[in-house]
Amino acid sequence: CAVAPLTGFDAAPADGLQGGSCRKFTTPTYQAYLARAADADNKTLPSAVYDAGGRLACVVVWCNLAAGTFYLVADPGAAEPRTEPFRATVVNLFGDGCESVPAQGFSSAYRGTFDEQGEVHCLAMPEPSGRYQVTLPPGDAAPPLVQLIQSQDPLMCLSTLTTVFGCPVTVPRETRLIVVVQDPRAGGDYQVAVQRTTGANDCAALPAGVPGAPGQATVSLSGTDFVSCFALPAGGSGESPEILTLDRVAGDGTASLSVYDFDGNMVCQDATAAAYQQIGCTLGGARHMAVVRSATGSGQFRVSQVTGISANCAAPASTAFGGPATVSTIGVAGDVRCYRVPMSSWIGVPEGADQPTIKYFDPQGGLRTCAALPCVALSTEVVVTSAKPATYQLDTWAVGSDLAAPADCGVITDSTAYGFGPVTATMSAADRAHCVSVQVGISDKFRLTVQNAVPYVVNGDTTIVRCAEDGDAWICSPTPRVGDRALVAFIATEFGPIRAEAACVNPTCGGVYFGLGTSAEPYPYVLAAGKTATFTIGGVALHQQDTLWLGEGGTKVAPIVVRSVSPNRDFYTVDVDLSGVAPGGYDITAASYASPNRPLTYQYMVKVQESQLAVTTKPSVAGKIAVGVKVTANPGVWSPAVDYYRYQWAANGAAIAGATGSSYTIPASLRGKRLTVTVTGYRTNLKTNAATSAALTVAYGVAPKATAVPKIVGTVKVGKTVKVSVGAWSPKATSYRYEWRVNGKLVGTAASLKLTKAWAGKKLTLVVVARRTGHHDGRAVSAAVKIKK
């Protein structure tokens, strides 16, 4: 490798353009160094530094190196060694020649001039500690590399972090800003703004404001004056959130807005530059600073502050579903109005009305925007704002977090296998909407007929979808998760009575498919010959217009007439005339009215005999119907008394192999299924009989509980990796999920976590979520441990 001498500040690189893939250089003392490889256009190349023993020393241009000999390798990951010429620049970053600069305010920037391609400039910071941020002017095609460093075990802040978030300099040592020119020209000018964000500042005060009277100030930004700030005084909103707005009032530029606390930490921002943007912050009662950065072009921008939002949250005109809209105005851009609503509310506007911008603070304090109206706001406070003065109307209707039993809405508990309805309501100016909660399944589609109203679907994930027009009807397509219900809402277009009916577009909806229940024992239905027998047949997605018949060897013997179907479509009541049917065993064939050409035959279903045991009280199941619980069959009342019973447990009508005892411990695989027990009675010289209990849905089992709390394993220190000790759980978990939190903020979900410098001094906790199939999740939190530096 050719030798690259060290270069000083404000000087051309000592190494010239030459071939080869590496340079050799010598460092006189342990220090921070710049070791940069650049091509003929002064573009920084990927590189790595190795020590004399071939060990990797660093892979960025900023290196902490001891005294000794090192090798700078350009394009170390390339398939072939580099052949194009490059220039090496190696600089002792704490060498002589660093220029002392005064404290830079937010209205000024350092302007430097470079005389040679690839020069390295050094600016000595005026303060020994604190947090700095560095801003470069917008639109620079070849921006310089910038880096804040300190002497003695040098602190290095990546340039991307420096320009966006700031750089903490907490040790009172000499601090320098290194500027590496990347411009391909032989000479020219550059600008860089350096601000200390910690402590007091010389920013102009931004007046505080409240909803209806925002505090406002203006600032002009351009390519030369590209950053400014405003002081936010102590007091503010306390623990209430507040909103800051950036609004271009002249010019063609874009900018971004961010807020720093008095310790110099960025606490709130929108990094996306725009002509108009809003950020929501919870700043407490301390002093803060708002920083405005130019991104493109130039212009005059207005910055607005609205505090006291929660204290000024008004009650809307109505929160009842369909109630009157709230009518009000936004007088100036950056102003807001706040309304206190129930958690999970429908937020919208009347048909044909102008749509304002609706925002709300989520449970983590983030400011969310309803991308389209109507939307569901997951907050008890909603904010109305506008980029220009506007009059608006706002609907604020409670739907509730549980769509199974929402306030002010009807609940359809019957099966939706073939649709639902009729739904009736009377619409008026005081009640413009009606809603019902329905059971839905994956890929359901309902063809809905209704006049004088527009239907919407509110899904369990809180999305709202307008049903699609289809001629004189509507197609409503819920998008549920497993087990979800959905709200179907009808928004009036004319006042008066409405009547809506929904038919399933698919053969069945609600996540079910047509079928009859079966039994592990043959002939679950035992009937007396010679007369008309009335009995019940269990199944799923049953319909009054299904066709059933008694058969033998594929031959129809007698029709089975459906007298009624249970509201949940899981039982028929049927008649069959057995006056001409000989005793013996028969099949049942059933064809769903939705698929009449696809009959299903269930063999060994009916036993016709002359006399048999009678069941006067059906069997039942005693015990909580939940995973992990042992339930017991109550055989019911039989006439005459039986000699003994046999039992068969079934799930969703299908027999459970081996489940033939009078008690049964419910496994996880049955969660959500409908459990029954069929009891067969036996008595000498009488025909056996069988009866099935009512079907009961199996609920989740109890959550695992930590008998020994989780622990954080390892040294809780910056740079170290800690691991999970899950503790002990009863009942035993089948899997675990992890949440690493630093000061309550989620930072990782793996079984281990490497601790970063930014977390020093903060509290680390571990949340272990224990999962057991078919059971509710259990949660436990470790003791909090302070992260050492």
Side-chain angles (χ1 to χ4, degrees):
C1 297
V3 175
L6 269 61
T7 300
F9 295 125
D10 303 335
D15 182 43
L17 278 171
Q18 54 183 310
S21 59
C22 64
R23 298 290 188 272
K24 178 181 178 181
F25 64 92
T26 301
T27 57
T29 183
Y30 174 78
Q31 195 52 272
Y33 291 87
L34 169 76
R36 174 178 178 252
D39 63 14
D41 292 326
N42 199 25
K43 176 183 177 182
T44 301
L45 299 172
S47 63
V49 174
Y50 299 86
D51 64 15
R55 292 178 293 270
L56 182 66
C58 73
V59 291
V60 292
V61 297
W62 320 100
C63 299
N64 292 326
L65 300 177
T69 299
F70 295 90
Y71 297 87
L72 174 65
V73 178
D75 291 336
E80 299 291 337
R82 182 178 178 84
T83 58
E84 294 294 321
F86 76 96
R87 174 188 297 116
T89 304
V90 182
V91 179
N92 179 351
L93 298 180
F94 278 88
D96 296 334
C98 193
E99 178 183 356
S100 296
V101 295
Q104 299 293 304
F106 279 88
S107 60
S108 63
Y110 177 84
R111 290 171 172 79
T113 300
F114 62 94
D115 299 317
E116 300 286 347
Q117 190 184 72
E119 278 185 11
V120 178
H121 291 188
C122 177
L123 307 177
M125 296 293 99
E127 297 286 344
S129 65
R131 184 180 288 269
Y132 290 87
Q133 68 92 37
V134 179
T135 303
L136 300 175
D140 191 344
L145 292 174
V146 292
Q147 178 71 58
L148 280 167
I149 63 170
Q150 285 188 305
S151 61
Q152 304 176 36
D153 298 324
L155 167 70
M156 295 194 174
C157 295
L158 298 177
S159 58
T160 53
L161 295 178
T162 307
T163 54
V164 177
F165 295 107
C167 181
V169 182
T170 56
V171 180
R173 296 175 182 159
E174 180 185 1
T175 303
R176 295 181 171 191
L177 177 70
I178 305 301
V179 182
V180 183
V181 178
Q182 296 189 110
D183 198 304
R185 296 173 298 169
D189 300 328
Y190 65 87
Q191 297 184 82
V192 58
V194 186
Q195 287 86 28
R196 185 173 184 268
T197 58
T198 304
N201 55 68
D202 58 356
C203 306
L206 179 64
V210 295
Q216 298 184 323
T218 59
V219 62
S220 294
L221 297 175
S222 65
T224 54
D225 295 316
F226 50 88
V227 61
S228 189
C229 69
F230 294 96
L232 308 180
S237 300
E239 295 304 316
S240 171
E242 61 183 76
I243 292 177
L244 287 92
T245 304
L246 178 67
D247 179 28
R248 187 183 69 204
V249 295
D252 62 355
T254 61
S256 63
L257 184 64
S258 53
V259 177
Y260 294 85
D261 63 18
F262 205 64
D263 293 327
N265 303 299
M266 181 180 289
V267 295
C268 192
Q269 72 152 345
D270 186 343
T272 304
Y276 179 90
Q277 65 175 215
Q278 284 182 317
I279 57 176
C281 313
T282 301
L283 304 181
R287 290 177 287 177
H288 285 78
M289 176 172 61
V291 177
V292 186
R293 296 181 178 88
S294 176
T296 61
S298 61
Q300 187 180 46
F301 294 85
R302 176 171 52 208
V303 180
S304 305
Q305 181 187 29
V306 178
T307 66
I309 293 175
S310 294
N312 289 275
C313 242
S318 175
T319 59
F321 202 93
T326 301
V327 180
S328 189
T329 60
I330 295 291
V332 63
D335 196 6
V336 302
R337 295 290 186 273
C338 179
Y339 298 98
R340 197 171 302 281
V341 299
M343 176 65 77
S344 299
S345 289
W346 168 299
I347 307 299
V349 298
E351 288 281 324
D354 292 337
Q355 297 202 1
T357 299
I358 306 299
K359 302 192 176 188
Y360 60 92
F361 288 89
D362 64 21
Q364 290 73 42
L367 185 62
R368 303 291 184 183
T369 301
C370 287
L373 295 180
C375 75
V376 174
L378 301 177
S379 174
T380 57
E381 298 172 350
V382 295
V383 172
V384 184
T385 184
S386 177
K388 60 183 180 181
T391 298
Y392 62 88
Q393 302 178 61
L394 189 68
D395 293 327
T396 51
W397 302 335
V399 297
S401 58
D402 182 3
L403 299 184
D408 302 315
C409 292
V411 179
I412 294 178
T413 58
D414 298 343
S415 168
T416 57
Y418 300 105
F420 60 90
V423 176
T424 60
T426 299
M427 305 296 200
S428 65
D431 190 3
R432 295 184 289 107
H434 183 73
C435 59
V436 291
S437 171
V438 298
Q439 182 66 49
V440 292
I442 305 298
S443 302
D444 279 359
K445 285 187 178 181
F446 295 98
R447 181 177 176 83
L448 191 146
T449 56
V450 63
Q451 293 182 337
N452 303 328
V454 176
Y456 289 79
V457 174
V458 184
N459 294 301
D461 61 0
T462 71
T463 57
I464 299 178
V465 180
R466 178 182 170 126
C467 297
E469 291 187 70
D470 183 34
D472 59 354
W474 304 80
I475 300 298
C476 301
S477 303
T479 55
R481 299 163 298 193
V482 175
D484 270 351
R485 296 179 70 86
L487 289 186
V488 180
F490 305 94
I491 313 302
T493 56
E494 294 184 19
F495 297 148
I498 67 164
R499 185 179 190 277
E501 285 194 82
C504 181
V505 175
N506 305 319
T508 58
C509 287
V512 297
Y513 299 92
F514 170 76
L516 303 186
T518 59
S519 172
E521 294 290 333
Y523 305 113
Y525 305 108
V526 180
L527 308 176
K531 61 181 180 180
T532 297
T534 299
F535 63 106
T536 58
I537 300 176
V540 179
L542 309 182
H543 195 278
Q544 182 78 40
Q545 298 179 36
D546 295 342
T547 303
L548 291 81
W549 60 88
L550 204 65
E552 184 178 25
T555 302
K556 293 183 179 180
V557 174
I560 299 175
V561 180
V562 177
R563 294 177 57 187
S564 64
V565 178
S566 63
N568 208 34
R569 300 190 179 279
D570 55 357
F571 282 97
Y572 296 117
T573 298
V574 300
D575 289 338
V576 59
D577 185 357
L578 300 176
S579 57
V581 178
Y586 296 92
D587 307 328
I588 292 178
T589 299
S592 168
Y593 101 105
S595 303
N597 298 321
R598 299 178 62 186
L600 303 173
T601 296
Y602 299 85
Q603 295 181 319
Y604 314 117
M605 293 290 286
V606 175
K607 171 77 78 172
V608 178
Q609 61 184 26
E610 291 185 353
S611 61
Q612 64 181 134
L613 288 165
V615 180
T616 57
T617 301
K618 289 180 59 175
S620 60
V621 178
K624 183 179 179 181
I625 312 302
V627 171
V629 175
K630 184 177 182 179
V631 292
T632 302
N634 180 346
V637 178
W638 298 66
S639 179
V642 302
D643 294 333
Y644 61 93
Y645 299 105
R646 287 182 179 173
Y647 304 90
Q648 177 60 60
W649 297 85
N652 285 0
I656 303 169
T660 57
S662 60
S663 61
Y664 179 61
T665 300
I666 302 174
S669 60
L670 264 59
R671 214 291 304 164
K673 296 185 178 180
R674 296 175 66 79
L675 181 70
T676 59
V677 62
T678 297
V679 179
T680 303
Y682 294 84
R683 182 182 173 94
T684 303
N685 297 325
L686 287 179
K687 304 290 186 181
T688 61
N689 198 358
T692 302
S693 68
L696 300 172
T697 302
V698 177
Y700 283 102
V702 297
K705 183 177 181 181
T707 58
V709 297
K711 294 182 180 179
I712 299 171
V713 178
T715 303
V716 184
K717 183 178 181 182
V718 169
K720 298 292 185 178
T721 297
V722 291
K723 297 182 179 179
V724 170
S725 171
V726 299
W729 298 80
S730 178
K732 187 177 180 181
T734 53
S735 64
Y736 299 95
R737 181 167 58 82
Y738 314 108
E739 297 177 3
W740 295 96
R741 295 182 177 273
V742 175
N743 280 7
K745 181 179 180 182
L746 182 66
V747 297
T749 58
S752 62
L753 179 70
K754 185 171 183 179
L755 305 179
T756 67
K757 183 186 301 180
W759 300 339
K762 298 181 180 180
K763 294 292 184 67
L764 176 67
T765 55
L766 166 65
V767 179
V768 174
V769 179
R771 293 175 169 174
R772 181 179 174 87
T773 304
H775 291 248
H776 292 287
D777 291 347
R779 296 174 66 90
V781 184
S782 72
V785 182
K786 186 175 181 180
I787 300 172
K788 298 179 180 179
K789 294 184 179 180

